[in-house]
Amino acid sequence: MQSSSIGGKVRHKDKVGPDQGRIIFGSSDLDVDFPGESTREDELLRSEISVDLKRDIWVFILKKPKDAASKGIFDLLLRFLLKSEVNIVLEEETYEEVMNEPIEFEVGSQVKILDEEAKRTLDFLILLGGDGTILRASSFFVEIPMPPALTFKLGTFNFISIFRPEEAIARVTAVLQLVSQQKRIPFKPLMRLRAEISSKEKKHVFTALNEILIDRGSRVQAVSLDIDIKGQRLANVTGSGVIISTPTGSTAFSLSAGGSILHPKLPAILITPLCPTQLSLKPVVIPASYTLTISGTTSRINPLVSVDGQCSIELSSDAQLFISKSDYDLPIIIDSGSSLPNWISKVQSLFPGRSFPQVSPRL
């Protein structure tokens, strides 16, 4: 695959100025004017035009599988990006789907399959789906920086997704122009977890945006898990298992299990027991700088480790699970300005039927 060398790029953690010919992914308080919302007809019309870009740009598009709405927006964006001569990266299944469909425009060499080389040339991601699509995209970037993600609400759950699908062409156009002009992209970083399963024979490394679940799976026996922090025993959890979640994941499975809700900006890790036999055992919040060590040496069965629901692996009796904050956040592209009101409204949506009166701020 061709390397994107014109203008170059750095990930959001790097500190390189635009005078060095690189892109800086900026923070959420930057003043960026996005085009306003548009109708479906406007989007169709805009897809027939193109954007004049000043450098090679690589974009990864991921859509919700077997979903007509996501497929419609995907086809729209594919046409638009190809006309704008943007290089497109797809997962293999979507790539084969595109190549086997009768389409009225030339795909050519602009479309590539996602591989390790491609991951390091991407400028940003376009995610068409709900929270599950974002989790799936996150799983592709393990131990490497993740490019900013432009997310559209096309899923069953859209707690993480930001923009309406009707805005697709307008939003993509705005980000393409920012990248082309080497300007800052507004984003909010979402903390991820690094999970390492280490035994005498092998090592597995995963990255989680929501949570890491250690449980008994479909078996009826309880699991017994030793949880250590910085070399000290925090607890032995005997029951269905335990959930280790990020602030983003605190509103997902952990919340259903009785866990607390953490603000996305809070640097913390949430430990939520699943149906523990010790009734006094409650959820615990620890600093994100701590490393958790979990083992099942005293368990009658080997626990199963699931990462964001994307994979599952057995934790053998001679293995240990190390969980820590990942060095690489997931940068979600947003409008400029504070994301707090949006987060509050989303938290309120978790409690349907309850009214939340507006409170005037004190002067």
Side-chain angles (χ1 to χ4, degrees):
M1 173 176 290
Q2 178 185 353
S3 173
S4 179
S5 58
I6 302 178
K9 59 181 163 297
V10 295
R11 303 307 177 199
H12 65 283
K13 285 183 173 296
D14 295 323
K15 306 296 183 182
V16 182
D19 57 326
Q20 293 173 266
R22 306 233 178 152
I23 297 169
I24 292 183
F25 299 123
S27 59
S28 61
D29 58 352
L30 298 170
D31 185 16
V32 177
D33 294 326
F34 280 100
E37 294 184 11
S38 59
T39 64
R40 172 71 172 175
E41 290 74 19
D42 291 336
E43 292 294 280
L44 287 170
L45 183 62
R46 291 182 189 184
S47 71
E48 299 301 328
I49 63 176
S50 60
V51 180
D52 183 24
L53 303 175
K54 299 180 180 179
R55 56 171 290 250
D56 284 349
I57 294 179
W58 292 89
V59 177
F60 174 55
I61 311 179
L62 184 66
K63 65 180 180 67
K64 181 180 179 180
K66 301 178 182 179
D67 180 73
S70 299
K71 181 66 166 59
I73 300 296
F74 172 83
D75 291 342
L76 198 71
L77 288 173
L78 187 65
R79 179 198 306 274
F80 171 71
L81 291 172
L82 289 172
K83 285 180 177 292
S84 301
E85 298 185 351
V86 174
N87 300 291
I88 301 169
V89 179
L90 305 171
E91 61 172 343
E92 187 170 0
E93 181 179 345
T94 307
Y95 177 86
E96 296 298 334
E97 181 182 309
V98 168
M99 292 304 175
N100 291 330
E101 281 188 354
I103 53 178
E104 62 213 40
F105 45 90
E106 184 66 30
V107 173
S109 60
Q110 279 180 254
V111 182
K112 306 289 184 182
I113 297 177
L114 183 69
D115 56 21
E116 292 305 315
E117 181 186 357
K119 292 175 185 179
R120 289 173 167 79
T121 63
L122 293 171
D123 290 287
F124 67 98
L125 317 179
I126 300 174
L127 307 182
L128 308 174
D131 294 351
T133 302
I134 298 175
L135 296 179
R136 195 154 141 251
S138 174
S139 69
F140 295 143
F141 297 86
V142 180
E143 301 281 74
I144 59 173
M146 190 166 180
L150 186 60
T151 58
F152 295 97
K153 301 176 181 179
L154 286 159
T156 306
F157 298 101
N158 298 297
F159 201 84
I160 309 175
S161 304
I162 301 295
F163 299 112
R164 292 154 46 96
E166 293 83 6
E167 306 174 75
I169 297 295
R171 296 290 176 177
V172 170
T173 298
V175 175
L176 285 173
Q177 290 173 341
L178 289 174
V179 173
S180 176
Q181 298 168 15
Q182 301 180 22
K183 292 184 178 180
R184 296 176 181 268
I185 299 177
F187 73 89
K188 64 176 180 181
L190 299 182
M191 185 185 112
R192 298 197 294 168
L193 294 175
R194 180 186 186 274
E196 177 185 320
I197 300 177
S198 182
S199 65
K200 297 178 181 178
E201 299 178 353
K202 51 189 174 182
K203 181 176 76 171
H204 300 276
V205 178
F206 308 95
T207 302
L209 175 62
N210 263 4
E211 75 271 314
I212 299 163
L213 169 66
I214 308 98
D215 73 342
R216 64 184 181 180
S218 60
R219 296 159 296 182
V220 297
Q221 299 99 325
V223 293
S224 182
L225 303 171
D226 293 328
I227 304 177
D228 296 339
I229 299 178
K230 302 180 70 173
Q232 293 186 324
R233 179 63 43 86
L234 173 68
N236 174 272
V237 179
T238 300
S240 295
V242 68
I243 304 169
I244 312 298
S245 66
T246 64
T248 300
S250 68
T251 54
F253 190 11
S254 174
L255 182 61
S256 300
S260 303
I261 297 177
L262 306 183
H263 190 279
K265 289 185 177 181
L266 188 65
I269 298 173
L270 177 60
I271 306 169
T272 306
L274 273 177
C275 303
T277 57
Q278 311 99 307
L279 299 181
S280 60
L281 196 57
K282 302 298 180 182
V284 177
V285 179
I286 64 172
S289 58
Y290 286 7
T291 297
L292 287 168
T293 304
I294 300 176
S295 60
T297 53
T298 60
S299 182
R300 294 171 57 189
I301 58 174
N302 289 338
L304 296 178
V305 180
S306 176
V307 180
D308 278 345
Q310 304 294 313
C311 62
S312 184
I313 187 170
E314 190 173 271
L315 184 67
S316 60
S317 58
D318 67 332
Q320 287 184 310
L321 171 62
F322 301 97
I323 300 176
S324 58
K325 181 183 180 300
S326 172
D327 291 333
Y328 307 107
D329 296 332
L330 190 161
I332 295 284
I333 297 174
I334 61 171
D335 272 326
S336 58
S338 173
S339 61
L340 182 60
N342 187 37
W343 178 81
I344 291 177
S345 64
K346 287 186 175 182
V347 169
Q348 290 177 350
S349 71
L350 296 171
F351 307 99
R354 294 191 59 183
S355 61
F356 295 89
Q358 296 294 322
V359 179
S360 300
R362 295 181 179 179
L363 297 179

